[in-house]
Amino acid sequence: MTIQASEARPGAAELPLSQISATRGGEKQGAAERITLGLFIGLPFAALLAAVPVAWGWGVGWLDLTIGVVMYFIACHGITIGFHRYFTHGSFKANRALEITLAVAGSMAIEGPLVRWVADHRKHHQFSDKEGDPHSPWRYGETVPALLKGLWWAHMGWLFDEEQTSQAKYAPDLVKDPAMRRISRLFWLWTLISMLIPPLVGGLVTMSWHGALTAFFWGSLVRVALLHHVTWSINSICHAIGERPFKSRDRSGNVWWLAVLSCGESWHNLHHADPTSARHGVLRGQIDSSARLIRWFELAGWAQDARWPDAERIAARRTA
Ligand SMILES: [Zn+2]
Ligand SMILES: [Zn+2]
C-alpha cells in the first residue's frame, strides 16, 4: 500500500509507517522520482560551485579554499570517527586524549552538542525507517510528493521537531561522564572557535581585513553549510537511494558519490547491516577516510580494539 501525502499527519503516533514497511523491499525506483531527487540534490550545489569562478581573485582564493578544506575535514572526521563510530557505536577504544580531541573536533561541525547527537543517532538505529526513527525520509509514505516531503524532513525538518530524544535513555554512558557532559555543554564555545579560526588565519596570513572576511565566508560559512548538507544527506539521500548489497532492516543504501565528502559514511547500507564495524566502506574500491584514520590512530597507540570486519563477517551480511 502507499500513503498519499494528503493523508500525512505531523503526529508521529498517527503515521502508519510500520504498515508500509511490511510491503517494502526490492521494488524499482521510477524515473520521475529519480529526476526530482537529482534536481533537489544537484541544483543548489551547482549554484555554489558556479560562485567560485565568478568571485575568483577578489572574493575567493587558494588560501580561503585551503582553510575551508582543512577545517571541513577536521570537523567531518570529528563527526564520523568521534560522534558516530566512537561515541555512538563504540567501534573502537580510544585513550582519553583522543576521546577529548574527537569530542571537540566533532563539536566544531556545529551539528549540536555531543550528547544530543549521540542520543538521536542511537534512536535512529533502533527504529531505522520505522515509527520512532527521528529522521526517516519514508515518514510520509512512498509517493513522489510524500517522498519529497519526507526527504525534507529527514534532511533538516526533524531538527526543528519539538519532541527531543531522551538523552538519559539513549546516551546514559555519556550523561554519566563529567568531561563529556562538560564538552557537550560548552557547545557554544566550540561553535565560536570553529567560526573564528578561518578569519583569524586568513587575516593573519594576508594581514588584511579583506583576507579575514573572505576566509570567514568560505572557511566558516560555506564550509559549515556544506558539511551540514553532506551529514544530513546520509539521513535523507542514503535512506532513499543507493545500492543495498547487505542485509539491513531498513532502506539504507550505499551512495558512492558522497564517499569522499562524507569521509566514508555514505556506505550507509553496510553501516546499518553491521553498525559497530569501524569500517563502512568494506568492499573493494570503497573509499573510507575515517577507517583509514582509525587505523593510523591504532598504529600510533591512541586507539585499540577496533572492530575491523573480516571476510566471513562481511559475507554473512551479503544479500546474495
Ligand atoms: Zn541511517
Ligand atoms: Zn550509525
Side-chain angles (χ1 to χ4, degrees), residues 80 84-86 88-91 117 121-122 124-125 128 234-235 238-239 245-248 250 252-254 264-282 286 288 313 317:
T80 61
H84 192 205
R85 299 189 199 190
Y86 178 73
T88 302
H89 295 294
S91 67
W117 200 104
H121 191 67
R122 285 185 184 158
H124 165 62
H125 275 268
S128 51
I234 306 299
N235 301 334
C238 294
H239 274 268
F246 298 101
K247 291 175 211 149
S248 71
D250 45 55
S252 54
N254 283 346
E265 298 273 295
S266 66
W267 308 115
H268 202 56
N269 176 241
L270 179 280
H271 176 53
H272 274 275
D274 188 5
T276 58
S277 172
R279 175 179 292 284
H280 294 185
V282 297
Q286 294 187 337
D288 184 343
R313 201 177 158 105
R317 285 165 171 77

Side-chain angles (χ1 to χ4, degrees), residues 114-125:
L114 170 67
V115 182
R116 177 180 296 166
W117 200 104
V118 169
D120 278 329
H121 191 67
R122 285 185 184 158
K123 197 176 180 202
H124 165 62
H125 275 268

Side-chain angles (χ1 to χ4, degrees), residues 100-312:
I100 288 169
T101 307
L102 288 171
V104 169
S107 301
M108 297 217 295
I110 318 183
E111 295 184 7
L114 170 67
V115 182
R116 177 180 296 166
W117 200 104
V118 169
D120 278 329
H121 191 67
R122 285 185 184 158
K123 197 176 180 202
H124 165 62
H125 275 268
Q126 188 176 345
F127 296 101
S128 51
D129 289 333
K130 308 219 167 39
E131 208 174 304
D133 184 344
H135 45 68
S136 173
W138 303 100
R139 176 185 174 95
Y140 301 108
E142 305 201 348
T143 59
V144 171
L147 179 58
L148 279 178
K149 198 173 160 192
L151 278 167
W152 168 253
W153 172 263
H155 197 72
M156 294 177 67
W158 71 279
L159 291 164
F160 302 93
D161 196 3
E162 276 181 10
E163 197 192 311
Q164 293 283 321
T165 303
S166 162
Q167 300 178 6
K169 184 175 171 194
Y170 285 94
D173 49 330
L174 293 176
V175 171
K176 265 185 246 150
D177 184 335
M180 293 307 133
R181 259 200 336 256
R182 190 126 191 263
I183 290 174
S184 207
R185 246 188 272 125
L186 287 173
F187 178 62
W188 64 271
L189 177 66
W190 315 127
T191 300
L192 204 66
I193 292 174
S194 177
M195 296 308 273
L196 290 183
I197 288 175
L200 196 69
V201 174
L204 288 177
V205 171
T206 62
M207 286 314 273
S208 73
W209 287 106
H210 183 260
L213 194 70
T214 58
F216 177 68
F217 184 80
W218 295 99
S220 303
L221 299 181
V222 173
R223 180 256 312 178
V224 168
L226 181 62
L227 182 51
H228 278 172
H229 283 289
V230 169
T231 306
W232 298 335
S233 295
I234 306 299
N235 301 334
S236 54
I237 295 168
C238 294
H239 274 268
I241 59 169
E243 292 186 356
R244 301 183 182 121
F246 298 101
K247 291 175 211 149
S248 71
R249 355 178 234 106
D250 45 55
R251 289 216 158 180
S252 54
N254 283 346
V255 179
W256 63 268
W257 49 270
L258 275 169
V260 173
L261 278 180
S262 70
C263 303
E265 298 273 295
S266 66
W267 308 115
H268 202 56
N269 176 241
L270 179 280
H271 176 53
H272 274 275
D274 188 5
T276 58
S277 172
R279 175 179 292 284
H280 294 185
V282 297
L283 301 180
R284 182 187 286 273
Q286 294 187 337
I287 293 171
D288 184 343
S289 56
S290 297
R292 175 55 53 91
L293 281 171
I294 294 170
R295 183 76 194 113
W296 286 349
F297 294 157
E298 259 191 336
L299 293 172
W302 306 334
Q304 301 86 34
D305 302 332
R307 294 169 193 255
W308 298 117
D310 54 38
E312 211 177 311

